[in-house]
């Protein structure tokens, strides 16, 4: 297969981890006979410094014309001034909106060999295999914002808005995913307080009853969900939720796996349109360029790119198997090691995964 992949390394450790994800995709191309061409473009702080905007139109055009987009991370203290007019994060939000990737899949799978590295007890996290489907292009992230004089000082407003159609499309995506997994869906909202959540619950209830009667559906309030996630995470299969709740719950869920550095994501829109694939971690500016970043989230995002972006399931499986083997073999990055073991660096982990991938794909020559 021929595919054009736009890479957006971004800021901080973004370039470090993206390089390893590209290494893995190139290895896959060699082993499976594909032709991937990589086109790098600017986003975030790197784009602000060069062009004055966080998402140059050339970047959005290249992404729209591509088969898939691989992103590192955006942000950093040098662009964080409270009065800054452009912020790196705006580039990411504009890209999500511009590609119309409304469904953000964030899987959390706890590998047996890493179960004792979580801050939670191993018996709580062992066997966890859940996916959060986060609505990504609506809600408070994209509502009108304003600031002005108000009673007792200033007043700031962030509008949270959802339409039936926006809820329906992401609910369908979550329903299809739950059907391909263990058939359970927990829809998370705050319907006891918020009007948007009442529309959310009503719409999800209807879509599930009409189109997914085979699924076991429950509605969970977001505060209770935050609690159940660390009380009994094994009870969840697919969690469907709105943008802001999904942002918060996925950072929490990351700790089940031991570190946010391990978690990948896929942001998908209409079938046939390019998806956006990125680790869920931030730009960790203090680790940038020091060979310290955990590249697994980016590498697993590359696996999601193969599966969801290019429909290359066998290739995605191969990458995930190589990653798991790297964990079992002991290729553990700094964010998951205690002081008694020396961690592996970003590049060493990338080359170990590439080597394991090649070994598995090349049949061993039998000794005569
Ligand atoms: C994420 C991040 C982003 C978000 C930031 C960088 C804007 O936290 O992808 O979870 O809030 O969506
Ligand atoms: Mg987040």
């Amino acid at each position: 297969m021929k595919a054009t992949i736009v890479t957006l390394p971004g800021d901080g450790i973004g370039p470090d981890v993206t390089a390893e994800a590209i290494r893995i995709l190139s290895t896959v191309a060699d082993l499976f006979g594909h032709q991937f061409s990589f086109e790098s473009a600017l986003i975030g702080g790197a784009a602000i410094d060069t062009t004055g905007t966080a998402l140059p139109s050339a970047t959005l055009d290249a992404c729209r014309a591509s088969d898939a987009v691989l992103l590192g991370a955006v942000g950093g203290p040098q662009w964080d001034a409270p009065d800054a007019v452009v912020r790196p994060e705006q580039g990411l939000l504009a890209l999500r909106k511009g590609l119309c990737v409304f469904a953000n899949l964030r899987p959390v799978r706890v590998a047996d060999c890493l179960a004792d590295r979580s801050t939670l007890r191993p018996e709580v996290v062992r066997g966890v295999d859940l996916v959060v489907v986060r609505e990504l292009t609506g809600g408070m992230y994209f509502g009108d914002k304003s600031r002005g004089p108000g009673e007792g000082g200033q007043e700031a407003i962030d509008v949270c808005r959802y339409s039936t159609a926006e809820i329906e499309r992401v609910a369908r995506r979550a329903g299809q995913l739950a059907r391909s997994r263990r058939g359970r869906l927990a829809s998370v909202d705050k319907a006891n307080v918020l009007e948007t959540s009442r529309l959310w619950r009503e719409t999800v209830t209807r879509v599930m009853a009409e189109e997914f009667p085979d699924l076991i559906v429950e509605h969970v309030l977001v505060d209770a969900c935050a609690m159940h996630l660390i009380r009994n995470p094994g009870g969840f299969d697919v969690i469907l939720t709105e943008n802001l709740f999904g942002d918060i719950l996925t950072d929490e869920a990351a700790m089940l796996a031991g570190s946010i550095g391990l978690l990948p994501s896929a942001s998908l829109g209409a079938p046939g349109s390019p998806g956006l694939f990125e680790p869920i971690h931030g730009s960790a500016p203090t680790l940038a360029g020091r060979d310290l970043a955990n590249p697994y989230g980016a590498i697993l995002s590359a696996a999601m790119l193969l599966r969801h972006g290019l429909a290359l399931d066998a290739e995605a499986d191969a990458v995930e198997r190589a990653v798991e083997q790297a964990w079992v073999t002991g290729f553990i990055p700094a964010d998951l090691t205690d002081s008694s073991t020396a961690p592996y660096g970003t590049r060493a982990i990338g080359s170990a995964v590439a080597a394991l991938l090649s070994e598995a794909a090349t049949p061993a020559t039998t000794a005569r």
Side-chain angles (χ1 to χ4, degrees):
M1 144 180 285
K2 277 192 183 171
T4 304
I5 299 169
V6 168
T7 63
L8 307 173
D11 309 318
I13 57 167
D16 307 16
V17 299
T18 305
E20 300 316 315
I22 294 174
R23 186 208 298 256
I24 298 307
L25 289 172
S26 305
T27 308
V28 165
D30 290 347
L31 295 172
F32 290 82
H34 302 303
Q35 274 176 274
F36 297 158
S37 57
F38 299 97
E39 252 178 59
S40 179
L42 291 170
I43 193 168
I48 294 176
D49 289 349
T50 327
T51 69
T53 99
L55 181 68
S57 53
T59 297
L60 182 57
D61 290 347
C63 291
R64 281 190 173 135
S66 75
D67 295 297
V69 181
L70 179 71
L71 184 135
V74 297
Q78 64 269 55
W79 304 285
D80 254 357
D83 57 348
V85 242
V86 276
R87 292 173 179 279
E89 291 77 7
Q90 290 165 348
L92 181 55
L93 299 187
L95 179 65
R96 290 171 177 172
K97 195 77 171 176
L99 291 176
C100 203
V101 285
F102 58 83
N104 180 220
L105 276 45
R106 298 188 161 189
V108 181
R109 213 174 300 137
V110 178
D112 266 355
C113 63
L114 297 184
D116 58 354
R117 295 186 191 258
S118 169
T119 48
L120 296 172
R121 290 200 307 271
E123 66 268 27
V124 174
V125 300
R126 189 165 286 122
V128 163
D129 178 4
L130 62 87
V131 184
V132 177
V133 179
R134 169 188 177 194
E135 199 292 327
L136 201 62
T137 51
M140 212 182 311
Y141 273 67
F142 293 94
D144 288 343
K145 298 176 192 323
S146 64
R147 173 91 81 102
E151 264 174 56
Q154 294 207 355
E155 188 176 84
I157 301 172
D158 290 287
V159 174
C160 185
R161 196 201 133 270
Y162 267 110
S163 70
T164 306
E166 284 173 315
I167 302 166
E168 279 173 354
R169 63 186 182 178
V170 72
R172 283 197 185 102
R173 200 48 105 135
Q176 285 152 4
L177 183 67
R179 193 170 265 167
S180 72
R181 292 170 48 92
R182 300 193 301 278
R184 304 185 71 96
L185 183 118
S187 176
V188 174
D189 61 39
K190 186 71 184 170
N192 54 348
V193 177
L194 302 177
E195 200 52 41
T196 41
S197 279
R198 287 192 273 270
L199 180 63
W200 183 277
R201 190 174 285 213
E202 214 175 281
T203 307
V204 172
T205 303
R206 178 174 45 76
V207 169
M208 293 303 142
E210 287 174 3
E211 300 174 37
F212 300 92
D214 47 314
L215 300 181
I216 298 169
V217 178
E218 59 177 337
H219 300 271
V220 187
L221 294 172
V222 62
D223 47 351
C225 180
M227 178 178 68
H228 293 312
L229 260 179
I230 50 175
R231 189 185 61 86
N232 179 27
F236 289 108
D237 179 10
V238 174
I239 295 176
L240 163 65
T241 193
E242 62 101 77
N243 204 344
L244 182 60
F245 298 160
D247 179 47
I248 299 167
L249 291 177
T250 50
D251 267 32
E252 185 191 9
M255 292 319 294
L256 304 170
S259 167
I260 196 165
L262 292 174
L263 261 61
S265 85
S267 305
L268 308 171
S273 64
L276 169 64
F277 302 86
E278 50 172 320
I280 84 161
H281 61 70
S283 62
T286 56
L287 304 183
R290 298 171 57 201
D291 199 33
L292 286 173
N294 179 345
Y296 284 118
I299 292 172
L300 290 169
S301 298
M304 292 190 90
L305 183 154
L306 293 165
R307 176 174 294 113
H308 299 281
L310 305 179
L312 297 174
D313 286 4
E315 287 81 342
D317 288 346
V319 172
E320 286 168 357
R321 271 198 305 271
V323 162
E324 195 140 353
Q325 231 182 312
W327 290 337
V328 173
T329 322
F331 289 97
I332 305 297
D335 51 347
L336 281 166
T337 39
D338 51 35
S339 49
S340 63
T341 16
Y344 279 87
T346 314
R347 289 192 291 270
I349 289 175
S351 57
V353 175
L356 289 163
L357 192 54
S358 307
E359 258 171 50
T362 323
T365 39
T366 22
R368 293 192 198 189

